[in-house]
């Protein structure tokens, strides 16, 4: 069974602080996606990383895919209250099957 | 461009009943995937439909079934509802079968089974 472990599960920080969220697995993924989900809504895609060692930046968010394509991290610089939400990582196994394997998510709360 | 829409937004059923949830895919997309997200959990893959055929299924019993129509909209049917079926049901559409293409999620249907 392929599993994606996310840590920490909960994170509560003050506006302006930096944070890193981790997504780890013993399995290799063909790609990994990060989503943000707000209460009562569906997940919204932030980024897809495909190549081992790849780093992508989206404004204050930096995403990294591990060299072995088994893990990933999301770093947020100078967090703002608008960053509050559930951050989910999801691994794609490749092939023609359609399933993404999701972690349980990291619930981030940024206090003003 | 119209995004993924789902109906209804909320639904309350009792144990043993049957339910049908609906999803309209994003314009131009021919693939729909369904996920179940229990409270405090990440979404779990139920199945995917590509051009009206099932294209992969997760670890869900046969009482979870689906359909995709010629206009690529989709239905998720659940028979003999159980209390553990209470969850947010998400559908996601994409332009290519499998996961090589980005999946765009709808807002979900919140199902409560009493």
């Amino acid at each position: 069974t392929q599993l994606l472990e996310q840590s920490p599960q909960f994170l509560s920080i003050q506006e302006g602080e930096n944070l890193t969220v981790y997504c780890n697995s013993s399995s290799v993924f063909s790609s990994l996606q990060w989503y943000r989900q707000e209460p009562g809504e569906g997940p919204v895609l932030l980024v897809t990383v495909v190549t081992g060692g790849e780093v992508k930046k989206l404004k204050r968010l930096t995403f990294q895919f591990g060299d072995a394509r088994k893990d990933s991290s999301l770093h947020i610089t100078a967090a703002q209250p608008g960053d509050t939400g559930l951050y989910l990582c999801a691994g794609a196994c490749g092939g023609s099957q359609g399933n993404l394997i999701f972690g349980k998510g990291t619930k981030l709360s940024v206090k003003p | 461009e119209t995004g993924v829409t789902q109906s209804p937004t909320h639904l309350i059923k009792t144990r043993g009943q049957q339910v049908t949830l609906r999803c309209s895919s994003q314009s131009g997309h021919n693939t729909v995937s369904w996920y179940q997200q229990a409270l405090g959990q990440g979404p779990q893959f139920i199945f995917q439909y590509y051009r009206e055929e099932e294209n992969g299924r997760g670890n869900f019993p046969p009482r979870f079934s689906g359909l995709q129509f010629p206009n690529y909209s989709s239905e998720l049917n659940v028979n003999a509802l159980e209390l553990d079926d209470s969850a947010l049901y998400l559908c996601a559409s994409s332009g290519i079968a499998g996961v090589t293409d980005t999946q765009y999620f709808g807002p979900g249907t919140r199902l409560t089974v009493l």
Side-chain angles (χ1 to χ4, degrees), chain A residues 3-7 22-27 29 70-72 89:
Chain A
L3 287 174
L4 271 172
E5 303 280 347
Q6 282 190 246
S7 62
Y22 299 94
C23 178
N24 296 296
S25 176
S26 57
S27 302
F29 292 100
K70 293 182 180 181
D71 54 83
S72 181
C89 66

Side-chain angles (χ1 to χ4, degrees), chain A residues 8-15 17 19 84 106-111:
Chain A
Q9 197 174 347
F10 299 96
L11 195 52
S12 181
I13 61 172
Q14 292 296 129
E15 182 176 1
E17 291 184 19
L19 67 115
T84 293
T106 293
K107 196 165 184 180
L108 173 65
S109 174
V110 182
K111 295 180 176 11

Side-chain angles (χ1 to χ4, degrees), chain A residues 54-69:
Chain A
E54 183 177 2
V55 176
K56 280 192 175 177
K57 292 194 175 185
L58 186 66
K59 296 183 182 176
R60 294 176 293 100
L61 279 59
T62 302
F63 304 86
Q64 185 160 8
F65 201 12
D67 290 341
R69 290 186 288 131

Side-chain angles (χ1 to χ4, degrees), chain B residues 22-43:
Chain B
R22 295 179 176 83
C23 172
S24 290
S25 60
Q26 186 165 310
S27 175
H29 286 179
N30 57 19
T31 303
V32 172
S33 304
W34 286 91
Y35 292 81
Q36 180 196 67
Q37 186 176 20
L39 204 59
Q41 304 292 318

Side-chain angles (χ1 to χ4, degrees), chain A residues 9 30-31 33 35 37 40-43 45 48 86 88 92-105, chain B residues 33 35 37 40-45 48 55-57 88 90 97-108 110:
Chain A
Q9 197 174 347
S30 60
S31 67
Q33 302 176 12
Y35 291 83
Q37 185 177 25
E41 297 183 12
L45 181 70
T48 300
L86 179 69
L88 293 158
C93 308
S96 62
Q97 298 295 298
N99 55 309
L100 288 171
I101 309 292
F102 278 86
K104 289 187 179 181
Chain B
S33 304
Y35 292 81
Q37 186 176 20
Q41 304 292 318
Q44 276 196 293
F45 177 70
Q48 183 184 79
N55 179 56
R57 187 179 182 93
L88 181 68
L90 297 161
V99 289
T100 54
D101 195 24
T102 299
Q103 296 191 15
Y104 294 89
F105 283 83
R110 172 73 62 188

